Amino acid sequence: MTIPTSLLPAVELETGPSPTRAVLWLHGLGADGHDFVPIVDELALPSTLSIRFVFPHAPMRPVSINRGMVMRAWHDYDMIDPNVGVQENLESLRSSQRAIEALIDRETERGIKPENVVLAGFSQGGALALHTGLRHSERLAGILALSGYLPAPRTLAAEAHRANFATPVFMAHGRLDSVVPLVLAATSKQQLLESGYAVDWHEYPMAHTVCREEIDDISRWLNRVLE
């Protein structure tokens, strides 16, 4: 199933009739919306939760960190140094932010309130989930960022919306990640904690991927925020 072409194209999967909850799951750099579809079965969520999973496809764009190669990407960026951070193209980042907010609005039109929507993502998708979720003007059920980081950290204080100040945030990262270094994610986590956000932080002995223990932790967290 796909959503209207006026919005980002996406893969959709519903775990039951007339969904009352939604999870918008954003893929990583160079992947597409199909990448995380198999995780729905692996999460083994209870049948009592009728959830619409939406897996949008990022636009095609040149990406500086990959020498301008055109691929699916939520925004253009380049790495400066793991200890300094990432240099994002803010115009493309904010364009994708608006596109994700349009998908949240679409769920509202379909009868699912923002307070029952989780914004999730992996890698660059996790970065966009944090960026968009913390700035969204209506409270969300939760924000899930896997192997990602907080983009545009210097603008958060001015742009964050109080509606999601108390929203649960799940961050998970591999200690062996060489794509998005652990130090970058840990710095993001620390900034969020110091800003007063409730961050549920997890580390795993893995690289830039997802492991079984992590999936089990995600399942328990989703059960809690979507109950």
Side-chain angles (χ1 to χ4, degrees):
M1 182 188 303
T2 58
I3 59 178
T5 54
S6 58
L7 300 174
L8 286 173
V11 180
E12 291 190 356
L13 192 157
E14 296 179 356
T15 65
S18 304
T20 58
R21 307 287 189 269
V23 177
L24 308 185
W25 201 300
L26 315 180
H27 63 76
L29 178 67
D32 64 22
H34 295 282
D35 199 32
F36 273 88
V37 171
I39 205 170
V40 176
D41 288 336
E42 294 184 50
L43 289 169
L45 295 168
S47 58
T48 52
L49 279 178
S50 186
I51 305 170
R52 177 182 296 118
F53 282 84
V54 180
F55 300 94
H57 305 297
M60 299 290 290
R61 69 172 86 244
V63 179
S64 297
I65 199 169
N66 287 338
R67 299 183 179 180
M69 185 181 299
V70 176
M71 60 184 63
R72 290 199 182 277
W74 295 110
H75 61 272
D76 182 30
Y77 74 104
D78 207 348
M79 179 71 76
I80 301 174
D81 180 279
N83 296 299
V84 175
V86 176
Q87 181 178 349
E88 297 96 358
N89 178 300
L90 292 181
E91 181 180 354
S92 59
L93 178 63
R94 288 168 179 155
S95 175
S96 285
Q97 175 188 349
R98 291 190 294 271
I100 299 308
E101 289 175 336
L103 290 179
I104 297 172
D105 291 342
R106 168 65 170 165
E107 292 311 309
T108 302
E109 294 170 4
R110 295 198 281 190
I112 300 178
K113 298 177 180 178
E115 65 197 49
N116 293 322
V117 173
V118 167
L119 193 53
F122 174 79
S123 193
Q124 194 187 50
L128 181 59
L130 283 171
H131 179 84
T132 303
L134 299 176
R135 290 163 173 77
H136 194 62
S137 62
E138 297 173 289
R139 180 179 169 86
L140 301 171
I143 302 168
L144 175 73
L146 309 179
S147 302
Y149 70 98
L150 178 68
R154 289 179 291 277
T155 71
L156 179 64
E159 297 175 357
H161 199 287
R162 62 186 303 173
N164 283 291
F165 183 72
T167 297
V169 177
F170 183 106
M171 292 185 71
H173 217 91
R175 300 187 191 100
L176 308 177
D177 194 331
S178 60
V179 177
V180 179
L182 177 62
V183 64
L184 182 57
T187 299
S188 296
K189 180 251 307 190
Q190 191 60 35
Q191 177 179 345
L192 292 176
L193 289 174
E194 291 175 358
S195 299
Y197 290 97
V199 180
D200 189 356
W201 172 260
H202 298 259
E203 292 181 22
Y204 306 94
M206 64 180 187
H208 195 63
T209 185
V210 178
C211 66
R212 181 69 253 175
E213 182 184 356
E214 181 180 23
I215 292 172
D216 292 340
D217 288 338
I218 293 168
S219 178
R220 284 188 285 270
W221 183 81
L222 284 175
N223 264 299
R224 186 169 72 249
V225 302
L226 290 177
E227 64 180 4

